[in-house]
Amino acid sequence: MSTVRTAAAVVLAAVSAFALSACGPSEDGAADTGSTAPSAGATASGTPSKPAAPPKAPSSSGKPPASSASSAAPGPSASATDADYDVFPCSTYDVTFTANLAEPTTSSYLLKITNKSGKACRALGHPVVTFGALDGQATQRGKAPGIEDALRLEPGESAYAGLLGGAHDGTGKTVDSIALTMDTESDLEQKPLTASTPGLYVSPAVNSVTPWVDNAEDALSL
């Protein structure tokens, strides 16, 4: 009987040991499980991934295409092709006027105009001169240049003309003033400019006036 009990105890001890090993992991197994499972702390402390690189800026060496406006060569301007296109004929509104006795025996006077305006103008043709209350105007003497070649007067510049009344031949009359208007080749109404000419003798057949020139000597010798 004691032998049977002893054998039963051995069997029972063996079964108990087997049951304990089957119910729980060993210390080594537990350690292995802990080392392989990722922890929450490891995930949180992991290095974040880098953000995507921003798009590259255009190369500084790249040049924008030239616009058609900047690449097109400018055409010639009116001032480049014709510097005098806007220079108009002088009128009495643009000039001052004087008359000075040059030769008493022939009643010769030097006429002078000066550009008083702020812009250039052209002294066209001959002065238009009337004698006091007498009818008619001075006869033109000599050929005047065309409008394109007419004397150009900048502000402050002067032009001259010679007026001849004529010698006393018994056919004329004496006047004490003359009036001047400018040839503008237009129907512009002008205010006559007057000058004193005491004792100016006017011969109907001899009186004359020269075209405008740029100096007094030529005005009296034409």
Side-chain angles (χ1 to χ4, degrees):
M1 177 63 77
S2 59
T3 304
V4 172
R5 291 178 177 177
T6 302
V10 171
V11 171
L12 180 61
V15 170
S16 298
F18 176 78
L20 290 175
S21 64
C23 291
S26 67
E27 291 182 2
D28 293 341
D32 291 342
T33 303
S35 64
T36 57
S39 66
T43 303
S45 62
T47 304
S49 61
K50 293 183 179 180
K56 293 184 179 180
S59 172
S60 59
S61 62
K63 296 182 179 179
S67 65
S68 58
S70 60
S71 61
S77 63
S79 58
T81 56
D82 183 5
D84 295 336
Y85 76 99
D86 60 348
V87 179
F88 295 98
C90 302
S91 73
T92 56
Y93 301 107
D94 302 314
V95 300
T96 59
F97 168 57
T98 60
N100 294 300
L101 181 63
E103 175 54 54
T105 58
T106 57
S107 294
S108 295
Y109 276 79
L110 176 65
L111 310 183
K112 177 183 177 180
I113 57 169
T114 301
N115 185 355
K116 69 176 183 178
S117 73
K119 62 184 185 302
C121 64
R122 290 192 179 278
L124 301 187
H126 296 73
V128 180
V129 179
T130 56
F131 300 100
L134 300 180
D135 293 333
Q137 62 190 48
T139 302
Q140 295 180 355
R141 181 172 83 246
K143 184 178 180 180
I147 186 171
E148 293 182 356
D149 299 317
L151 186 61
R152 174 180 173 137
L153 299 181
E154 296 294 338
E157 291 185 341
S158 299
Y160 304 86
L163 176 66
L164 176 67
H168 290 257
D169 58 6
T171 64
K173 294 183 179 180
T174 300
V175 297
D176 293 328
S177 67
I178 59 174
L180 169 107
T181 55
M182 300 293 294
D183 179 7
T184 62
E185 293 193 354
S186 71
D187 56 0
L188 174 67
E189 186 175 349
Q190 302 177 66
K191 180 180 179 180
L193 303 177
T194 60
S196 177
T197 56
L200 170 60
Y201 183 81
V202 182
S203 171
V206 178
N207 76 82
S208 62
V209 66
T210 70
W212 294 112
V213 293
D214 60 2
N215 66 89
E217 183 178 356
D218 287 347
L220 294 173
S221 61
L222 290 176

